[in-house]
Amino acid sequence: MFKLYFFLMVAFLNSCINGYDGSVMSGINAMTYYQSYFNIEKTGQETGIVFSAYTIGNIVGSFFCGPFTDWWGRRWGMFIGASIIILGTCVQAPSTSLSVFIAGRFVLGFGIATCATAGPSYVAEMAHPAWRGTLTGLYNTFWFVGGIPATWVAFGTASVESDLSWRLPVWLQAVASGLVLLGCLFCPETPRWLVSHDRHEEAIRVMARYHGEGDRNSPIVLLTYREMIEEIATEGSDKRWWDYTDLVNTRQAWWRLLCVVGMAFFGQWSGNGAVSYFMPTLLDTIGVRNPKEQLLYNAILNVISFIMATVGAHFTDRLGRRPVLLMGTSLFVLWWTIIVTLTALYGREGELSNTNISAPGARSAIAFIFVFGITYSFAFTPLQALYPVECLAYETRAKGMGMYNLFVNVAAFFNNYAIPVVFEKLKWRFYFIYIAWDAFEAIFIYFFFVETKGRTLEEINEIFEAPYPKKKSIQKHIVVVTDCGVLDKGLEDC
């Protein structure tokens, strides 16, 4: 079992890579040596290109990560993604021109797309069925294990009086990628990938060793293997790198895609994008204008968010996916309503950007911004990798996660480039959009999101085959072991 945890930890490092690479550039962008070396400002067209190159690389990579992970396997998908990231680091870190630096950012983003597809797929397919929800939920919490060091590294190297202040954080991008590269050499391939490639004996050995405590006749091994051979096609679309039709060619495929795309946009547009954008402005209003102090506040929030995300991962199996998401989105509506009220009452003309806001009002607004961040980390962070993986059938899992990654980046692109423009016109009234949107999210989740708790990945297929998948998903489900074998049955009433 400890070997299994080691293999899953290697996969978790893919989330660390994403967290570090996605966070470190914000700190580097504030460094004077970086700005003077490339003759660049904190804001402006060139800075926008530097940041967008990473996102564009991620979007382009979304169309390749599925075929990589389907064709060569989940573990080699992680290996390929880590290799591309190391290549991007070697281009970016020693760069002597801004164009080369931007090219390195593009390559990094491309590699991240593959890691973000192969990593959660490996965890979900390799984890013991009894712990799949918690372990796959923990995958995304490791974003903070990369994001927090990135923040502190930038905080520490900001004091270095040389170009090393920004080159060192860039070089450190290769650390987690290198560990993934080496770790993949020791990881077994997932049983589902092996079954899909007609390597049944290898799949049984992997399941017996890591799920059945060495017993090939363990009930969990027998049940899982039986479901795999019934549900996984050896000639499925995962063998055709160009074929994405299975994502949209049936009613159940559309329902799956609805859940996946919904999770992609809800995970980015619930208000978390505005939190990261407005935090410096809010801190300015109460007199915290020192960039290093603002970085410290942000680092503290990251630590708290990591703790709450870890706690949330533990509760995804206890409470279920739907209840956690419904609770989170409902609280988002409440928190944004309170923030809007505080802004309107304490800001002159209700503008948070105004430095004459009363200190108590600003502190209260910041407190509820923190509360929002904590709630988001508990409810959404663990499920951002877990839920889409569970909703996708095996044949479409890698390509579907590639599309999930695509929509996440499209939503994030909007956060980075549209919110500032809209906010400039609407000011604090922009928060009303979040209130309405989060209310819509709660309604959408209630009627369309399925419950995946307590089922194997193959049993989830039965949910989407039903006329109304959401109703089918909240039925009780039992597994019975008899002398004649393993039986499973879904009950009609909750």
Side-chain angles (χ1 to χ4, degrees), residues 141 303-313 373-375 377-379 382:
T141 68
V303 173
I304 296 173
S305 296
F306 171 60
I307 295 171
M308 292 307 299
T310 304
V311 173
I374 290 169
T375 306
S377 298
F378 178 89

Side-chain angles (χ1 to χ4, degrees), residues 14-28 51 54-55 58 85 92 105 108-109 112 143 146-148 150-151 169 173 276 298 302 409 416:
N14 289 278
S15 189
C16 296
I17 295 170
N18 198 358
Y20 187 93
D21 293 354
S23 302
V24 72
M25 197 59 218
S26 296
I28 291 174
F51 277 86
Y54 179 84
T55 303
N58 212 318
I85 291 168
Q92 185 184 5
R105 293 282 296 165
L108 280 170
I112 283 293
W143 188 96
I148 292 170
T151 306
Q173 290 175 135
S276 54
N298 192 49
N302 276 340
N409 280 280
N416 292 333

Side-chain angles (χ1 to χ4, degrees), residues 170-344:
V170 174
W171 277 118
L172 290 176
Q173 290 175 135
V175 174
S177 303
L179 293 174
V180 170
L181 207 67
L182 295 175
C184 285
L185 301 178
F186 301 95
C187 293
E189 188 50 77
T190 70
R192 288 169 177 83
W193 188 87
L194 293 171
V195 167
S196 75
H197 286 74
D198 209 19
R199 292 159 62 178
H200 292 254
E201 182 59 30
E202 291 179 63
I204 293 172
R205 283 203 303 266
V206 171
M207 286 190 289
R209 185 171 185 180
Y210 300 111
H211 295 173
E213 299 182 353
D215 182 7
R216 295 168 64 98
N217 296 314
S218 166
I220 193 67
V221 173
L222 294 176
L223 173 63
T224 307
Y225 178 65
R226 190 194 76 186
E227 292 175 338
M228 285 182 188
I229 59 177
E230 289 175 353
E231 298 289 341
I232 296 176
T234 56
E235 298 297 331
S237 63
D238 55 307
K239 313 303 184 301
R240 302 183 294 275
W241 63 267
W242 67 89
D243 189 358
Y244 282 75
T245 58
D246 278 358
L247 287 170
V248 295
N249 62 0
T250 63
R251 179 180 177 278
Q252 64 169 289
W254 276 105
W255 203 292
R256 291 177 189 272
L257 193 62
L258 198 67
C259 293
V260 171
V261 174
M263 194 66 202
F265 282 102
F266 295 168
Q268 296 298 316
W269 286 358
S270 295
N272 46 309
V275 169
S276 54
Y277 175 74
F278 293 122
M279 185 60 74
T281 303
L282 287 168
L283 292 174
D284 278 341
T285 64
I286 60 171
V288 183
R289 298 183 176 87
N290 186 300
K292 294 195 74 173
E293 287 187 60
Q294 292 184 354
L295 192 61
L296 182 62
Y297 274 97
N298 192 49
I300 292 171
L301 179 59
N302 276 340
V303 173
I304 296 173
S305 296
F306 171 60
I307 295 171
M308 292 307 299
T310 304
V311 173
H314 178 69
F315 277 93
T316 54
D317 269 341
R318 289 194 174 191
L319 300 177
R321 285 47 157 171
R322 278 170 47 87
V324 169
L325 289 171
L326 286 170
M327 176 192 68
T329 50
S330 299
L331 287 174
F332 293 164
V333 175
L334 176 62
W335 302 150
W336 282 116
T337 302
I338 293 173
I339 292 168
V340 166
T341 303
L342 289 170
T343 307

Side-chain angles (χ1 to χ4, degrees), residues 372-447:
F372 171 88
I374 290 169
T375 306
Y376 178 89
S377 298
F378 178 89
F380 268 77
T381 299
L383 292 175
Q384 284 180 290
L386 168 62
Y387 194 71
V389 164
E390 290 182 324
C391 288
L392 292 162
Y394 174 80
E395 286 79 7
T396 59
R397 185 163 295 133
K399 291 172 183 171
M401 286 302 292
M403 292 300 96
Y404 171 77
N405 186 66
L406 169 66
F407 288 117
V408 164
N409 280 280
V410 169
F413 193 87
F414 174 88
N415 281 343
N416 292 333
Y417 301 103
I419 285 180
V421 176
V422 177
F423 181 76
E424 186 65 29
K425 295 181 178 180
L426 299 181
K427 303 301 181 184
W428 64 275
R429 296 170 186 83
F430 179 73
Y431 294 145
F432 281 111
I433 296 176
Y434 282 126
I435 295 173
W437 176 257
D438 289 336
F440 166 76
E441 285 184 10
I443 295 170
F444 189 94
I445 289 169
Y446 180 81
F447 285 105

